[in-house]
Amino acid sequence: DIQMTQSPASLSASLEEIVTITCQPSQDIGNYLSWYQQKPGKSPQLLIHSATSLADGVPSRFSGSRSGTQYSLKINRLQVEDTGIYYCLQGYSAPWTFGGGTKLELK
Amino acid sequence: EVQLQQSGAELVKPGASVKLSCKTSGYTFSNYYMSWLKQMPGQNIEWIGNIYGGNGGTGYNQKFKGKATLTVDKSSSTAYMDLSSLTSEDSAVYFCARTQNWEGCFDYWGQGVMVTVSS
């Protein structure tokens, strides 16, 4: 199975701050990387697919990038509604696997 | 509007089985895969497997083979997951999620259903 190492595990940031979360797969996954936001008691919501493509309806302050084998989710100008847990997912090879999650809180 | 509506919470006894449903609307069911996922309280998300709405073809995470069985009813655009021989380790929230296989992502999710295994 492909292991997804996500960091940091938790993060506290201020309003309007720039936040970056990263994921490192244990082997090549091409651009089969997506990002999700999960609020307490809710299902995850797709933010980014194909490493860099913004999902429909997602605010443009969210962006995804890839540098070599490292993938990043960036949130520009953090808003109150951006708190929650963020997960990366590799959909390259079965079983599809998630990163361990990043809990994002407001400072 | 794409919608995935899951059945209600379940309380089941150890050793029993349970069948969860995921009724869809707003898209052509037979054109997409549906995945099922497990999330234990405060834990990571695990992919259980997927099933193609067109022909019922399945793929499973080896970890869940023998535990989960995925089926579909095209006539009602509904996906099902049977969980068998339940133990406390199966207590979790289970999600169905429409799968974009070509992009390797889940674009729409059900609301989740809590399964509690307890005597």
Side-chain angles (χ1 to χ4, degrees), chain A residues 18-34:
Chain A
I18 297 173
V19 168
T20 302
I21 299 167
T22 64
C23 258
Q24 179 83 46
S26 59
Q27 63 189 75
D28 178 45
I29 60 169
N31 284 330
Y32 289 90
L33 189 286
S34 49

Side-chain angles (χ1 to χ4, degrees), chain B residues 80-117:
Chain B
Y80 297 93
M81 178 171 69
D82 271 290
L83 296 170
S84 62
S85 304
L86 292 165
T87 73
S88 59
E89 287 300 300
D90 298 314
S91 292
V93 175
Y94 292 87
F95 296 100
C96 58
R98 194 179 80 164
T99 306
Q100 293 281 4
N101 243 35
W102 298 116
E103 291 158 357
C105 69
F106 308 121
D107 60 352
Y108 289 92
W109 295 64
Q111 80 275 22
V113 56
M114 180 73 208
V115 174
T116 303
V117 182

Side-chain angles (χ1 to χ4, degrees), chain A:
Chain A
D1 299 2
I2 296 176
Q3 308 303 314
M4 301 297 291
T5 302
Q6 185 173 341
S7 62
S10 64
L11 179 56
S12 181
S14 302
L15 276 176
E16 304 285 319
E17 192 173 330
I18 297 173
V19 168
T20 302
I21 299 167
T22 64
C23 258
Q24 179 83 46
S26 59
Q27 63 189 75
D28 178 45
I29 60 169
N31 284 330
Y32 289 90
L33 189 286
S34 49
W35 292 96
Y36 301 82
Q37 177 197 62
Q38 187 176 31
K39 300 274 190 180
K42 301 292 187 182
S43 54
Q45 300 297 308
L46 177 66
L47 300 173
I48 301 287
H49 66 87
S50 308
T52 61
S53 297
L54 195 66
D56 291 343
V58 176
S60 59
R61 64 180 180 274
F62 291 91
S63 64
S65 64
R66 173 187 178 184
S67 177
T69 59
Q70 181 165 282
Y71 301 79
S72 299
L73 172 71
K74 182 177 173 183
I75 309 173
N76 279 312
R77 302 185 64 188
L78 187 69
Q79 302 297 301
V80 172
E81 61 267 30
D82 298 336
T83 59
I85 301 178
Y86 290 80
Y87 294 95
C88 61
L89 165 74
Q90 70 81 17
Y92 175 77
S93 172
W96 293 10
T97 46
F98 287 83
T102 296
K103 187 173 183 179
L104 175 58
E105 297 176 323
L106 274 177
K107 196 179 288 182

Side-chain angles (χ1 to χ4, degrees), chain B residues 31-96:
Chain B
N31 288 353
Y32 289 84
Y33 284 83
M34 185 70 75
S35 290
W36 287 86
L37 303 105
K38 176 184 180 182
Q39 186 172 37
M40 296 179 74
Q43 305 262 349
N44 200 2
I45 306 170
E46 296 179 279
W47 177 77
I48 295 170
N50 64 16
I51 185 165
Y52 187 54
N55 61 10
T58 54
Y60 290 93
N61 184 337
Q62 186 69 28
K63 177 179 178 180
F64 293 95
K65 280 189 175 178
K67 170 62 63 178
T69 302
L70 307 184
T71 55
V72 295
D73 177 0
K74 286 199 296 183
S75 68
S76 63
S77 300
T78 302
Y80 297 93
M81 178 171 69
D82 271 290
L83 296 170
S84 62
S85 304
L86 292 165
T87 73
S88 59
E89 287 300 300
D90 298 314
S91 292
V93 175
Y94 292 87
F95 296 100
C96 58

